[in-house]
Amino acid sequence: MVTPSLLGPTAGRVEDVRRIAVLRANALGDFIFVLPALDALRAAYPSAEIVLLGAPWHAKLWRDRPGPVDRVLVVPPGPGIREPEAGEPASTIDDFVAAASGEGFDLAVQAHGGGANSNPLISRLGARVTVGLRAEDAPPLDRWVRYVYYQHEVIRYLEAVALVGAPATTIVPTLAVTDADRAEAEQVLGPPARLRVALHPGASDTRRRWPAERFAEVARALHGDGYEVLVTGTPSEQEVVDQVVAAAGVPVRPQVGTLSLGGLAGCYAGCALVVSNDTGPLHLAAAVGTSTVGIFWVGNLINTATPLRGRHRPISSWTVHCPVCGVDCTPGIYPHRPGDGECPHRDSFVIDVPVAEVLESARELLSP
């Protein structure tokens, strides 16, 4: 039976579902985008246990945190599944499947990507029904929707879970902030003397990084407006954080490796605004209810920027040609168009975003 829903037709629910596996083992921002799909599954199957097949950091994040995930099973690293974390004990996909197939999953949901590597894993779990995404090079699942690159990530996974009778209840990712998160943030940062704003100048893909000196200009201006300015980053982003701090020329507070992921959620929840490249912390800030100004390459704007404008301002770069060699970096997605779509350069694609636009948006969101 097909019924109408917020995002279109929804297939019938699967009967007698007691346990649901959801594969989503990649990075922070990627996980934030699947939260509405998890909420939809929880609403459709309120008595079922939802087990996230994730990474070690997922297990830490969901320990004692309210939300749609009941338990985390850590999936071993593997091609197209996830990268290993530092100090992680060795294990194999075969060992994982042997253990997970005894869980008695009724539904197994592939919310991980196109499915070339993840659909075979989902199919090995022994679930009564498999569902998810399928790119052209991926094997089918019992119920699947075509993976098309340019689609908002939130909607992509909502369409997938709708195939098992889980219509969307929201399109807004929301992550609960716990008392422990807030306590950690206060222990590290102390109580705020002024309203706080946070800048996050890093991103794993350097093509998504706005120049450090421009973040420094924003820091200088917002400090002059009377805000306490934090500059957050992961240990691998220490260098770019140091560049922002040095170039700002005013007192700002670098926070690199001082907070756990939960502590960072607590930190952002206590900020009036987060200004960031398109990276996981930007999407975390929005999920905990903080206003954001995000700097996006146009392709990523389509796939990952929030559609809401009440408290969020995604600012787009329209660059599609590599700033070094001039290659059009879109034809890899559109093979019938001229150009090869790929080049080896990783220079920023967002340098055409001016400081004035970012500051204008920041001040608008910060005004009463």
Side-chain angles (χ1 to χ4, degrees):
M1 178 180 178
V2 176
T3 57
S5 73
L6 180 66
L7 298 178
T10 299
R13 293 174 69 254
V14 180
E15 296 300 321
D16 301 321
V17 171
R18 295 170 298 173
R19 186 166 294 145
I20 303 171
V22 180
L23 176 64
R24 187 66 167 172
N26 30 25
L28 173 60
D30 299 311
F31 179 70
I32 296 294
F33 303 139
V34 85
L35 286 170
L38 290 168
D39 289 333
L41 287 169
R42 168 56 66 226
Y45 299 96
S47 61
E49 181 186 31
I50 297 179
V51 181
L52 177 68
L53 311 185
W57 72 263
H58 291 101
K60 295 175 184 176
L61 180 68
W62 281 102
R63 189 175 298 132
D64 301 321
R65 185 175 305 277
V69 174
D70 296 304
R71 183 161 53 99
V72 175
L73 282 183
V74 174
V75 183
I81 303 299
R82 69 175 183 88
E83 297 294 323
E85 295 185 10
E88 185 178 349
S91 60
T92 69
I93 292 292
D94 288 342
D95 291 338
F96 172 79
V97 168
S101 58
E103 290 270 350
F105 291 119
D106 299 292
L107 291 181
V109 181
Q110 192 277 94
H112 195 75
N117 296 285
S118 48
N119 284 5
L121 172 58
I122 284 291
S123 296
R124 293 177 65 190
L125 297 179
R128 288 196 288 124
V129 177
T130 61
V131 64
L133 299 155
R134 184 191 182 193
E136 291 184 0
D137 61 346
L141 300 169
D142 294 328
R143 304 180 187 184
W144 55 270
V145 63
R146 176 66 70 193
Y147 177 93
V148 178
Y149 182 81
Y150 279 131
Q151 180 183 18
H152 198 283
E153 292 288 304
V154 168
I155 305 304
R156 190 192 306 282
Y157 300 110
L158 283 171
E159 282 200 305
V161 298
L163 297 176
V164 288
T169 59
T170 181
I171 61 168
V172 180
T174 303
L175 185 74
V177 181
T178 67
D179 290 342
D181 297 336
R182 298 182 191 275
E184 180 187 342
E186 184 169 357
Q187 181 180 21
V188 172
L189 301 170
R194 297 173 290 169
L195 282 177
R196 282 178 177 149
V197 297
L199 312 183
H200 191 91
S204 56
D205 187 340
T206 54
R207 293 174 297 180
R208 290 189 272 117
R209 287 190 181 183
W210 202 42
E213 60 270 19
R214 299 192 193 176
F215 274 104
E217 288 187 58
V218 173
R220 190 160 51 248
L222 294 180
H223 178 271
D225 290 346
Y227 295 96
E228 179 184 2
V229 179
L230 310 178
V231 185
T232 59
T234 64
S236 65
E237 296 164 343
Q238 180 75 62
E239 182 178 358
V240 70
V241 170
D242 289 345
Q243 290 171 353
V244 173
V245 172
V250 295
V252 297
R253 300 183 62 185
Q255 300 296 319
V256 178
T258 60
L259 294 159
S260 70
L261 186 53
L264 186 64
C267 165
Y268 285 163
C271 289
L273 178 73
V274 172
V275 181
S276 174
N277 296 317
D278 168 29
T279 188
L282 173 71
H283 306 295
L284 173 66
V288 301
T290 301
S291 296
T292 66
V293 176
I295 300 157
F296 289 82
W297 176 65
V298 59
N300 294 331
L301 182 88
I302 295 168
N303 279 27
T304 67
T306 174
L308 306 178
R309 294 297 175 269
R311 292 186 298 138
H312 304 289
R313 298 290 186 276
I315 300 177
S316 179
S317 163
W318 299 93
T319 298
V320 295
H321 293 87
C322 171
V324 177
C325 66
V327 164
D328 183 345
C329 290
T330 59
I333 302 163
Y334 299 111
H336 302 293
R337 303 185 188 187
D340 58 18
E342 297 291 339
C343 75
H345 305 111
R346 290 297 179 266
D347 294 56
S348 175
F349 268 61
V350 295
I351 57 174
D352 60 331
V353 173
V355 170
E357 287 185 13
V358 173
L359 271 176
E360 182 180 78
S361 292
R363 285 169 169 157
E364 179 186 2
L365 291 171
L366 288 166
S367 63

